Amino acid sequence: MYLGIDCGTQGTKALLITEAGAVRGRGYARHQLIERASGAREQEPQWWVDALRTSVTQAVSHHGAEVLALGVSGQQHGLVILDEAKQVIRPAKLWNDTETAPQNAALIERLGGKSAMMERFGILPMTGYTVSKLLWVKENEPENFARIRHILLPHEYLNFWLTGQLYAEYGDASGTAFFDIRTREWIREILDEIDGGTGQLAAALPPLLKVEQLVGTVRPEVAAELGLSPQCVVSSGGGDNMMGAIGTGNVRPGIVTLSLGTSSTVYSFLEKPLDSIDPSVAPFCSSSGGWLPLVCTMNATNVVTQTLHVLGKGVEDIDPVLASTNPGADGITFLPFLNGERTPDLPTAQGSMHGVTATNFSAGNLLRSVIEGVTFGVLNGLELILQGQPASKIQVIGGGSRSAEWRQMIADATGAVIQVPIEEEAGCLGAAIQAMYAYKSQQGTPVTFAVLSERLVSVDEEKTAHPRAEKRAAYRAAQDRYNAVLKAQFPNL
């Protein structure tokens, strides 16, 4: 059997599957979150460990001795720093931490500006990426900065706790902004800009693994505690988006994955990096041997949930409201930037509502405008990734995928067929599939990701949404209006 673990922002999930893909166990445990008015979003890495203990113990139950390999998916961009004794120095700053926005802007300026950074390094740091967090620690906590001896991402820290080994891999590393996605090597020059060329930070980076390589074997004491086989091995793992790609079969060109979770992401596998890329697109590597250009928006189901709460409604009201209102919300446009925004790069932006009149101001139009605002933001990103090519099929995952009317909205707005994988926990499934891939590679019986996904990833046909051609023009007009309002509010974009 194979175990997939997904350490997200809100909690850690675990999924146990057989080689044929049958589910044999699940587990879940919530996380706490540190939030401050400054934009700080942090978690103690120990909370992830505690949640892993709980979720894995639930998932493996009586099957732990049969687990051959496991993989870990983790929230991207988080910064975990360890001292010389490999002890955590401070809480991890997370992907949605906007406190480091000034440091991000300063780094871009110090390294020559946006265009120069894209040309020299192939990536433009966004607020929330790991690199600006290091400069923030240096400027705000110099004593902690001086103690840094190891730099890890969240999934790498859990790999370390499981095996005692410190390693990184290409997918999650490409979200740090000090990793060259073209050469697949760390970029020392960017780290030298932060530490003054002392080499402290470059020396703190873990070595990089290829996807077919293993981090190591689960430590005996950890295996005993979790009820796992003492021979259980750990694959390289990766960021949650990279694992979500594997878990939706997005391991070959032509497939798009759109995740509607706390944040929203959209990405598509490529066999080589894009030749030219918009700075808003994160030119990441995949964790399956290729590349995964991605766009992330920070405001998605969290904004919808908050709106439902304000209106005194629940998630069960989403479908009836969308079914009873018109595309374009009768002229209301909502910019959903309640948490700042990454794409477009507006870390200090605030949300706003436009076009409200005495005749269109209703609870239904308000909710629809919020969902449309979230949707148009991520579809703008999809258009950047596809570079003018239409999407024919989109796999939708995350909490938003449970809404039939939201799925239909995306189908109508894009002209693409929308599918939902049967396994909702795509990150867990992707981590388990990667573990299977690495285990078989090491056993001398390799199998491709395409073959594995064909066998292990299936869609729920009852949830498939086909585009309605008669709705396309109305959604195109609404999205154009959204973009016009966005440009008027933020003319420097």
Side-chain angles (χ1 to χ4, degrees), residues 223-275:
E225 178 183 355
L226 300 179
L228 297 173
S229 163
Q231 283 79 47
C232 179
V233 295
V234 179
S235 68
S236 59
D240 50 4
N241 293 304
M242 290 75 191
M243 294 296 103
I246 297 173
T248 54
N250 195 345
V251 294
R252 53 186 172 83
I255 299 175
V256 172
T257 302
L258 194 161
S259 174
L260 292 172
T262 306
S263 65
S264 183
T265 52
V266 62
Y267 40 91
S268 186
F269 178 91
L270 296 177
E271 292 177 337
K272 60 180 182 178
L274 291 171
D275 293 328

Side-chain angles (χ1 to χ4, degrees), residues 129-446:
Y129 283 19
T130 315
V131 66
S132 58
K133 297 174 172 65
L134 286 168
L135 181 57
W136 184 94
V137 174
K138 180 182 180 182
E139 293 179 350
N140 292 274
E141 301 175 358
E143 292 183 358
N144 284 337
F145 185 85
R147 295 169 57 202
I148 296 175
R149 294 297 179 269
H150 303 281
I151 299 170
L152 298 175
L153 297 168
H155 103 268
E156 296 163 3
Y157 179 77
L158 290 177
N159 281 350
F160 166 63
W161 181 80
L162 287 163
T163 67
Q165 303 298 316
L166 297 168
Y167 285 106
E169 58 80 45
Y170 303 147
D172 216 0
S174 57
T176 62
F178 45 84
F179 176 84
D180 191 323
I181 62 101
R182 300 162 299 190
T183 63
R184 302 197 185 205
E185 297 175 339
W186 297 118
I187 305 173
R188 173 163 178 166
E189 183 179 350
I190 293 177
L191 298 175
D192 285 348
E193 184 64 35
I194 297 173
D195 66 17
T198 65
Q200 175 195 357
L201 297 181
L205 298 176
L208 291 153
L209 292 178
K210 296 179 179 179
V211 65
E212 64 269 18
Q213 295 177 291
L214 297 170
V215 173
T217 303
V218 176
R219 292 185 291 140
E221 61 272 29
V222 172
E225 178 183 355
L226 300 179
L228 297 173
S229 163
Q231 283 79 47
C232 179
V233 295
V234 179
S235 68
S236 59
D240 50 4
N241 293 304
M242 290 75 191
M243 294 296 103
I246 297 173
T248 54
N250 195 345
V251 294
R252 53 186 172 83
I255 299 175
V256 172
T257 302
L258 194 161
S259 174
L260 292 172
T262 306
S263 65
S264 183
T265 52
V266 62
Y267 40 91
S268 186
F269 178 91
L270 296 177
E271 292 177 337
K272 60 180 182 178
L274 291 171
D275 293 328
S276 61
I277 195 164
D278 187 281
S280 297
V281 178
F284 294 156
C285 295
S286 75
S287 293
S288 59
W291 281 262
L292 198 73
L294 175 150
V295 168
C296 173
T297 58
M298 296 179 70
N299 298 275
T301 59
N302 53 340
V303 180
V304 176
T305 300
Q306 188 168 350
T307 303
L308 289 169
H309 177 74
V310 169
L311 295 175
K313 297 181 180 294
V315 293
E316 68 278 2
D317 296 304
I318 292 176
D319 281 357
V321 166
L322 292 181
S324 61
T325 52
N326 299 316
D330 290 343
I332 297 178
T333 298
F334 188 83
L335 301 185
F337 307 146
L338 305 192
N339 300 289
E341 190 48 86
R342 175 176 295 174
T343 309
D345 189 18
L346 298 167
T348 61
Q350 298 177 340
S352 56
M353 188 185 307
H354 304 261
V356 181
T357 69
T359 58
N360 67 9
F361 188 43
S362 67
N365 280 334
L366 174 58
L367 181 58
R368 171 177 271 278
S369 72
V370 169
I371 296 175
E372 286 187 349
V374 168
T375 302
F376 294 153
V378 74
L379 293 187
N380 283 343
L382 177 60
E383 291 174 5
L384 292 174
I385 289 173
L386 297 180
Q387 297 186 331
Q389 298 299 313
S392 59
K393 187 178 295 184
I394 301 175
Q395 303 271 43
V396 180
I397 59 175
S401 70
R402 299 188 182 100
S403 166
E405 289 294 332
W406 199 345
R407 298 194 302 269
Q408 188 63 56
M409 175 189 292
I410 298 170
D412 294 341
T414 61
V417 174
I418 305 303
Q419 295 181 326
V420 178
I422 288 177
E423 178 51 61
E424 292 186 356
E425 304 303 339
C428 284
L429 180 58
I433 292 174
Q434 190 208 57
M436 192 181 304
Y437 175 91
Y439 178 81
K440 289 187 172 295
S441 296
Q442 294 300 313
Q443 292 295 308
T445 56

Side-chain angles (χ1 to χ4, degrees), residues 3-86:
L3 179 66
I5 302 166
D6 182 20
C7 175
T9 312
Q10 298 180 5
T12 292
K13 301 167 185 175
L15 175 70
L16 182 66
I17 63 171
T18 67
E19 189 161 329
V23 175
R24 290 291 181 263
R26 299 178 185 272
Y28 177 70
R30 290 189 61 82
H31 300 154
Q32 301 177 60
L33 178 65
I34 301 168
E35 297 182 273
R36 292 192 291 271
S38 62
R41 302 290 186 274
E42 300 175 352
Q43 287 175 331
E44 292 283 358
Q46 184 61 45
W47 298 344
W48 306 334
V49 171
D50 293 341
L52 183 150
R53 285 186 170 112
T54 299
S55 60
V56 168
T57 301
Q58 292 172 356
V60 302
S61 186
H62 303 297
H63 300 288
E66 303 170 62
V67 179
L68 299 175
L70 68 83
V72 178
S73 164
Q75 49 183 305
Q76 286 191 257
H77 312 303
L79 174 66
V80 183
I81 47 178
L82 310 183
D83 62 16
E84 190 170 0
K86 298 180 181 177

